[in-house]
Structures are given as structure tokens and as C-alpha cells.
Amino acid sequence: MARRDRPRVVVVGAGFGGLWAVRTLAFEPVEVLLVDRRNHHTFLPLLYQVAAAEIEPEAIAFPIRGLLRRFPNVEFEMAEIRGIDPEARQLETDGSPIHYDFLILAPGSVEHTFGVPGVVEHAFFLKNLDQAIALRNHILAAFERAAREPDPFQRRRLLTFTIVGGGPTGVEFAGALAELIARPLRRDFPRLDFREVRVILLEAMEGLLPGLPDPLRVYAAARLRRLGVEVRLRATVEAVEPERVRLKDGTIIEAGTVVWTAGVRGNPLGEAIGLPAGPGGRVRVASTLQAPGHPEIYVIGDLALPEGSGKLPMVAPVAIQQGERAARNILRALRGRLPEPFHYRDPGTLVTLGRNAAVAHVFGRAFTGFPAWLLWLGVHLVRLIGLRNRLVVLSGWAWDYLFYERVVRLILPGEGAK
């Protein structure tokens, strides 16, 4: 049982940063409370596969209480944070206030629309399980509607899928969607003319996957084109309208589905509780991850903009390492020692491009094709939480690989199309 005479560390957010902070503090002489508005952790790197009917939603989610039950000094509270009183060291929630001695904020990120009109109203996002399931429902429903649509114009629009954003999420989803269409759905809808189906990937910059070496970016674009994806570079979206996308060069794309993966920004919780926000809604913090004027508050993950760290990518390895550093700095403070600055150790980047292909930049070396794909498979299976989840995902991948079949082609009750 947690002891109330111990210092209390409250961790907000059960993503990668929050969980790794909790793990680091487990079995230490502190009382830890993890707070999240959901009761499960989602393995976001595989979220796009839920939307592409490749794996079950439950396969990438794990109940938080199940993760914490082996930690005797850790508790969980399902609550939504409404505000903070730094002077009283208290969080305001949708329930009772929560007191803390130390606070780690790790609420993650939200979609960044860059102010483009119509995105919120007419585009789909890929940031949580609800959105992934809604997108899968919509894609499958679009084929069902197209199968009975007599008007060729309306049918072609229903069968046009536009993805905005050529980062890892957009690239991986484009490849997965193209393979879903080319194999399982082609067999499911033999009367449809699949020459009418289009998957379009729009990227405003001159190449896909910014930050990777040019040969990998070129390989990724070529691979997607071989899968049938129309890759359009230097294509800036001016507006998203009902069932169409308008580009800044005047091009109009009639599309029944628009998926926005063009960017993310820091969770608005940071601004809501009065912390100083920098570019992209990220909170400016010291190199030790402490909030200005409040050394007892640590900000990590997608919400943090540490001093002297440059523009860190908003990816899981950054959040994991920052969660560990924030927790260790709290333990150092309790022992009367100064906090240490955060230094990011880049483990590399892996992006899958459909069956048997990926790009990898690890240990300063570049890999493409089948070796990179095997590396991608291994890393994601190891990082996935829960033995059952690993087995379910591995069996789903194996079934798809051996039989070109995806068994999760289900339109489930709930939110469908926008």
C-alpha cells in the first residue's frame, strides 16, 4: 500500500513518457499517482494499422491498472485535468482536487491543422483508437456505398482517398491502405472497377519523410508509387471542403475521404494551466525538463521544448527518455542532489512501406527493403506492451503475410463518416 508520509509524485498522461516515468519511480520511496482520462495505454506507432483493418484495436491497447498492479507504490486515477494551482501544488480535475509534491506533465500532443479551413470539420485524424476505428468504418463503408452507386462521378469520388502529410504516419498509412485495397477489398468487391480507386498522398515539401537521408526518402516515394499510391510533392492544401480538397495551385481533388496526418502540436493542457508556450504549443522548459519558476513541475514528451535541445522530434523514444530523466531528477532532488540536463540519444527511425519493405536509419546507417522491414517488425513487437498483445499482433501479421487476408474488415457500431 502507498504510504501518505512519502513525497507524492503525480504523473499526468499514460503515454510513453508517463509510463516510463512511473516505471522509473516504482519501488522507490515515493508515492506515485498516474492520472489519465482513459483507462488504457495505446501503442500509437501501430494505430494506422487499426485504421487499415490490419489489426484489432484491442491489440494495441493495454489496461493501465493491469500495467501498474505489480508496483506497490503506484496508484491510478481516471480523471481529466482542468487546471493547476502551482502555489498550492494542486491539480483541478473533473472530480476531486489532486495534491502533489512533484508533478510530471506528459499529456502528449493533438492534431495540428495549421489553420487550414475545413480540416476539423471534414478530415479524419489518427491520434487515438476512436479516430482509427471511425476511419476504418468510413473506408469500408465507402466501398459498400460505391458498390451500389450508379453515378460514375459519385462512385469515383467515394473511391478516392486523400492523405495529407508525408511524414511517417502518412507514409505508413498510405502503404497499408493501398495493400488493403489491392488484395482483400479487390476480392471482396469483384464487380467494382478498381481502376476507379485512387490513394493520393499530398506533401507540401519537396520530399517525403523529412529528416531522413535523401536516398531513403527517394526509395519511400518510389515504393509507394509501385503500390499504386499517387505521391504528390510540393502540394500545399489550401482548404478541405465537403468531399473535396483544394490545393494552393488551384487543383481540386474530388475525394470522399481526407485523412490529415500533416502535423501535431503540444497538448493544449500546457497553455490551459498557464505554462509558457513556444512554437507548436510546446512548453519551454529548462534543460533539466523543469518548468520556469516551478522546479517541482516537469514537462516531458510532445509537450516539452527543452532549452538547448534544438527541435526534438515528437516521437516515442524522446518521451521515454524524458520520462526516465524527469523521474531520476525527482529522486536526485529528494536526495539533496542537483538535477541533470536531458540529452537525447537517437535510436534511429523506422518506417514501413507495406509488405516486405521499409526504410531504416539506425546506428548511422541506412537500410531499405526486406532487411529494414524485418528490423521494423522486431522493434515494434518488442516495444508493444503485453504478451497477449504481441501474440495477437504477430498472428495477425502472419495471417496477412501468408494468405494476403485481413480479418478485421468490420464496420463496427459507432461513429462512421464525417
Side-chain angles (χ1 to χ4, degrees):
M1 296 292 293
R3 289 171 46 187
R4 297 299 178 185
D5 59 333
R6 293 176 171 182
R8 192 183 212 198
V9 181
V10 175
V11 180
V12 176
F16 290 104
L19 280 186
W20 261 257
V22 168
R23 286 181 170 184
T24 306
L25 293 169
F27 306 105
E28 297 289 347
V30 293
E31 174 195 338
V32 182
L33 177 64
L34 178 61
V35 182
D36 198 286
R37 62 192 182 95
R38 294 186 174 90
N39 79 330
H40 60 271
H41 164 81
T42 303
F43 189 75
L44 294 178
L46 294 182
L47 190 63
Y48 77 93
Q49 293 198 356
V50 173
E54 196 160 349
I55 56 178
E56 304 170 5
E58 296 83 359
I60 62 168
F62 201 94
I64 295 170
R65 291 187 181 275
L67 292 171
L68 304 182
R69 63 170 59 134
R70 67 183 186 275
F71 302 146
N73 64 324
V74 181
E75 295 182 350
F76 171 71
E77 184 169 329
M78 184 173 169
E80 187 158 2
I81 306 302
R82 299 284 175 80
I84 183 173
D85 184 348
E87 303 305 320
R89 296 194 179 188
Q90 184 171 280
L91 290 172
E92 305 298 329
T93 75
D94 55 355
S96 301
I98 297 174
H99 169 76
Y100 64 86
D101 294 301
F102 294 92
L103 176 64
I104 299 178
L105 290 174
S109 57
V110 296
E111 307 86 0
H112 195 351
T113 65
F114 302 97
V116 176
V119 175
V120 173
E121 295 82 3
H122 307 300
F124 287 85
F125 300 107
L126 265 176
K127 286 295 293 177
N128 58 53
L129 278 177
D130 291 342
Q131 293 172 346
I133 295 169
L135 178 55
R136 184 185 71 186
N137 284 353
H138 174 82
I139 291 169
L140 297 175
F143 276 87
E144 295 290 351
R145 290 161 57 194
R148 64 176 191 268
E149 176 58 63
D151 184 345
F153 175 80
Q154 293 293 346
R155 190 171 57 247
R156 285 193 296 270
R157 183 158 64 181
L158 282 169
L159 297 175
T160 298
F161 305 88
T162 300
I163 303 161
V164 183
T169 300
V171 166
E172 291 187 324
F173 180 63
L177 179 59
E179 291 196 330
L180 170 68
I181 292 169
R183 296 187 177 97
L185 294 185
R186 184 181 289 270
R187 293 198 294 263
D188 286 349
F189 297 91
R191 295 185 180 181
L192 276 179
D193 182 357
F194 274 74
R195 291 173 297 183
E196 295 182 332
V197 182
R198 301 171 69 191
V199 178
I200 304 170
L201 179 60
L202 303 177
E203 169 54 48
M205 300 179 67
E206 295 185 358
L208 304 178
L209 303 174
L212 287 182
D214 287 342
L216 298 186
R217 301 172 71 188
V218 172
Y219 175 89
R223 171 68 182 179
L224 289 180
R225 289 187 174 109
R226 284 199 296 273
L227 290 174
V229 179
E230 299 177 35
V231 179
R232 299 191 184 185
L233 305 176
R234 297 180 293 277
T236 304
V237 175
E238 185 174 63
V240 178
E241 301 169 354
E243 298 189 312
R244 68 193 307 192
V245 178
R246 179 155 41 90
L247 305 184
K248 283 196 173 179
D249 64 3
T251 302
I252 300 293
I253 301 174
E254 300 290 342
T257 305
V258 179
V259 185
W260 188 269
T261 67
V264 295
R265 66 191 311 274
N267 193 296
L269 175 64
E271 297 179 20
I273 61 180
L275 294 176
R282 304 171 82 175
V283 174
R284 297 185 185 274
V285 294
S287 61
T288 56
L289 306 176
Q290 294 166 293
H294 295 282
E296 75 282 359
I297 300 178
Y298 290 79
V299 185
I300 64 173
D302 291 349
L303 186 58
L305 191 64
E307 183 182 70
S309 294
K311 189 177 180 181
L312 290 172
M314 300 167 83
V315 294
V318 173
I320 288 171
Q321 294 178 34
Q322 288 183 344
E324 293 173 337
R325 171 47 52 204
R328 291 194 181 108
N329 277 346
I330 289 173
L331 296 175
R332 289 178 65 87
L334 293 174
R335 294 165 186 150
R337 303 170 66 182
L338 293 175
E340 293 183 340
F342 169 72
H343 298 291
Y344 179 51
R345 303 178 304 279
D346 188 357
T349 301
L350 300 166
V351 180
T352 186
L353 302 164
R355 184 186 185 87
N356 290 340
V359 293
H361 189 236
V362 294
F363 311 119
R365 300 183 60 188
F367 303 87
T368 61
F370 189 68
W373 184 70
L374 288 178
L375 182 61
W376 182 92
L377 291 177
V379 167
H380 284 72
L381 275 179
V382 169
R383 288 181 176 174
L384 188 61
I385 294 176
L387 177 59
R388 175 194 172 277
N389 289 16
R390 295 189 187 111
L391 293 175
V392 169
V393 169
L394 181 60
S395 63
W397 286 347
W399 187 268
D400 183 20
Y401 188 82
L402 293 173
F403 301 107
Y404 295 88
E405 186 68 68
R406 297 187 184 179
V407 297
V408 202
R409 303 189 307 280
L410 307 174
I411 302 174
L412 297 175
E415 183 181 356
K418 290 201 174 188

